[in-house]
Amino acid sequence: MVAVADRSPNPLTRMRDAVWHPTPGSLRFLALLGVIGNALIVATGGAVRVTKSGLGCPEWPRCTGDSLVPTHSAEHPALNMSIEFGNRLLTFVVLGVGVLVFVAAVRLRPRRGSLVRWALAQPMSVVAQAVIGGIVVLTDLHPASVALHFLVSPALLVFCVILWIRAGEGDAPPRALAAPRVRRLAAALVAACGVVLVAGTVVTGTGPHAGDADSRRWGFNIEDVTRVHSGLAWVTVALTILAAVVLHRTDAPPAARRRVHELIALELAQGALGYVQYFMGVPGPLVVLHMLGAVLLWIAAWRLALALRDRGPVPSATAPAPEPTTTEAPQPA
């Protein structure tokens, strides 16, 4: 193991050691990069849609019929091709981070099997996401495939967030830090956030930002699906306020109280943004921010749920076994 105090002044060496000679802290940092990367790719995917660049690369896995990278095309503007291709490249960056996280989890000593499994789920899920992205292109941005493509990201973020939290705690059996009703309320809050995400994909699939001018849309009334989405969001806010009251009236851990305050702040900001974008005619930049806010809420809800149990301290590093020493027998004079 490389001790933290022995860090090299060379940043490349430190990056290598964070993966090849990981500590619990460096693994947790890599896991956080996975959380950030998968949240950002949701925002860049939104940018693809609002700029009508969804078919900027009309083929998959190639960008065009005979090229992996954007080339001149009379049917697809260069800007749209660049935006779509840039989103594809970011997928490879997120995949690379997932691979590094997995290698670090395998190399961590003592090895923790649960962390290895959570880490393995990340690159595997990114590969699945890339395949679904190909289906989105090949179906000409059908709203069902687009919705699935979006919803895989929150599912992948569950793996990333759990690994991030688990890397900073031990492997003891979970010990509840709150009453059962509080933990059930937190679980209901996570479920409510998930339902709001699903409803949001229906609104997006009905609204004006299809990703391409000729893409198919759902035939729902946009005002009706928006009201449903808004109503579910208000239910989530009510559950969060109830959770805050219960946490403050019981002997809840301070970390859980901080998490619920963060969640309320995010919900207020997200709600205000949602109403502003609706009354402004759904401008593209606000749509991208709203999508990013949705995944931030999802992350915050999971952090609250995970703050209601304790799994003990992080296992200490295994010290390397000392080299055996040989003692020479005294020689006769």
Side-chain angles (χ1 to χ4, degrees):
M1 289 294 273
V2 174
V4 176
D6 297 333
R7 289 178 180 173
S8 167
N10 188 328
L12 295 178
T13 302
R14 292 202 302 270
M15 290 171 59
R16 180 204 63 192
D17 290 341
V19 176
W20 201 245
H21 302 289
T23 64
S26 67
L27 176 59
R28 194 158 192 248
F29 175 72
L30 290 171
L32 177 59
L33 292 182
V35 174
I36 294 172
N38 282 281
L40 287 178
I41 205 167
V42 171
T44 60
V48 170
R49 297 194 65 172
V50 300
T51 58
K52 295 183 172 57
S53 303
L55 294 177
C57 286
E59 302 292 336
W60 189 91
R62 296 183 176 90
C63 182
T64 58
D66 56 357
S67 175
L68 289 172
V69 299
T71 57
H72 176 73
S73 172
E75 299 179 359
H76 302 281
L79 178 61
N80 295 131
M81 297 182 77
S82 299
I83 293 173
E84 163 63 5
F85 186 70
N87 190 56
R88 292 189 184 189
L89 289 180
L90 184 57
T91 301
F92 286 99
V93 174
V94 175
L95 175 60
V97 172
V99 171
L100 293 178
V101 169
F102 174 67
V103 172
V106 171
R107 295 281 302 173
L108 184 68
R109 295 295 180 269
R111 181 179 295 179
R112 301 171 60 188
S114 61
L115 299 191
V116 173
R117 290 189 290 273
W118 286 116
L120 177 60
Q122 296 190 32
M124 299 298 292
S125 299
V126 175
V127 171
Q129 180 76 308
V131 173
I132 296 171
I135 295 173
V136 170
V137 173
L138 297 177
T139 59
D140 294 329
L141 309 185
H142 190 283
S145 62
V146 172
L148 178 61
H149 191 43
F150 169 80
L151 291 173
V152 169
S153 291
L156 176 53
L157 274 166
V158 175
F159 304 140
C160 298
V161 171
I162 291 179
L163 177 63
W164 177 37
I165 301 298
R166 292 284 291 112
E169 60 186 14
D171 293 322
R175 179 175 64 89
L177 299 177
R181 69 179 186 277
V182 179
R183 288 181 280 120
R184 287 194 294 269
L185 181 57
L189 189 52
V190 171
C193 288
V195 173
V196 171
L197 287 173
V198 174
T201 65
V202 178
V203 175
T204 305
T206 307
H209 298 293
D212 188 82
D214 298 325
S215 296
R216 178 180 171 182
R217 314 302 290 139
W218 295 124
F220 305 117
N221 181 283
I222 185 61
E223 292 186 357
D224 291 341
V225 294
T226 300
R227 289 193 186 98
V228 171
H229 178 58
S230 176
L232 291 170
W234 278 112
V235 170
T236 305
V237 172
L239 285 173
T240 308
I241 294 174
L242 178 60
V245 172
V246 172
L247 285 170
H248 279 275
R249 297 187 65 176
T250 59
D251 190 20
R257 296 180 185 180
R258 291 194 298 271
R259 297 291 88 81
V260 78
H261 293 160
E262 293 166 2
L263 186 55
I264 290 174
L266 282 170
E267 287 173 348
L268 292 176
Q270 180 75 340
L273 182 60
Y275 280 109
V276 168
Q277 71 168 0
Y278 178 78
F279 288 112
M280 289 184 63
V282 201
L286 294 187
V287 171
V288 174
L289 288 177
H290 197 59
M291 292 177 68
L292 179 59
V295 294
L296 292 179
L297 278 173
W298 178 243
I299 293 169
W302 273 96
R303 292 185 71 198
L304 171 60
L306 294 172
L308 297 175
R309 89 283 184 275
D310 178 67
R311 302 199 64 166
V314 179
S316 58
T318 304
E323 293 290 337
T325 57
T326 57
T327 305
E328 295 184 358
Q331 298 297 322

